[in-house]
Amino acid sequence: MSLIHALALAASIIVNYQLTVSSDRLDDFLLWIESGLEDSRTFPGNIRFDIYRDVNEDGKLLFVEEWESEAHRARYMEWRAARGDYEGMAEFMAVPPVESVYRLAGD
């Protein structure tokens, strides 16, 4: 790993979203989210964007995102908001998503 790459990773942030989708809307939500997943993964500053399904509770999902910086993530969120994507996502939710943001300890 190059020094530049190591420094970039040290400044990166991890964002987790815990989502609970209405059980009768899960298949529709997964299709809707899949259609925009590549846009998220290729957005400038994105390192990783993965979606996991809970093995015990079908409607529970975990979004795991890694961004080069908080500024990159902020630009992404502004772009999604301008498109109306958050309102679209809200239609599928049984409860509001829970967000957690992490950075390496000591940074």
Side-chain angles (χ1 to χ4, degrees):
M1 176 184 314
S2 72
L3 177 59
I4 293 173
H5 184 69
L7 290 173
L9 290 178
S12 69
I13 60 169
I14 302 287
V15 182
N16 290 340
Y17 288 99
Q18 296 175 11
L19 292 89
T20 303
V21 178
S22 300
S23 58
D24 61 331
R25 304 286 318 269
L26 181 60
D27 290 338
D28 292 335
F29 178 73
L30 292 173
L31 286 173
W32 182 78
I33 216 65
E34 181 69 29
S35 69
L37 192 54
E38 191 61 25
D39 291 336
S40 297
R41 289 181 171 153
T42 59
F43 197 87
N46 182 261
I47 298 169
R48 178 174 94 159
F49 198 115
D50 296 312
I51 301 172
Y52 297 88
R53 291 176 73 167
D54 188 302
V55 296
N56 296 312
E57 199 169 329
D58 210 27
K60 289 185 88 172
L61 302 169
L62 179 67
F63 283 35
V64 178
E65 306 172 18
E66 185 172 6
W67 294 93
E68 290 178 16
S69 69
E70 290 183 52
H72 284 98
R73 176 180 173 247
R75 284 191 289 278
Y76 170 77
M77 292 181 70
E78 289 170 4
W79 173 73
R80 284 284 183 200
R83 291 170 37 111
D85 291 337
Y86 295 125
E87 289 85 4
M89 180 182 280
E91 295 178 19
F92 295 97
M93 298 297 112
V95 296
V98 176
E99 175 192 68
S100 300
V101 180
Y102 302 89
R103 74 175 68 249
L104 285 174
D107 280 355

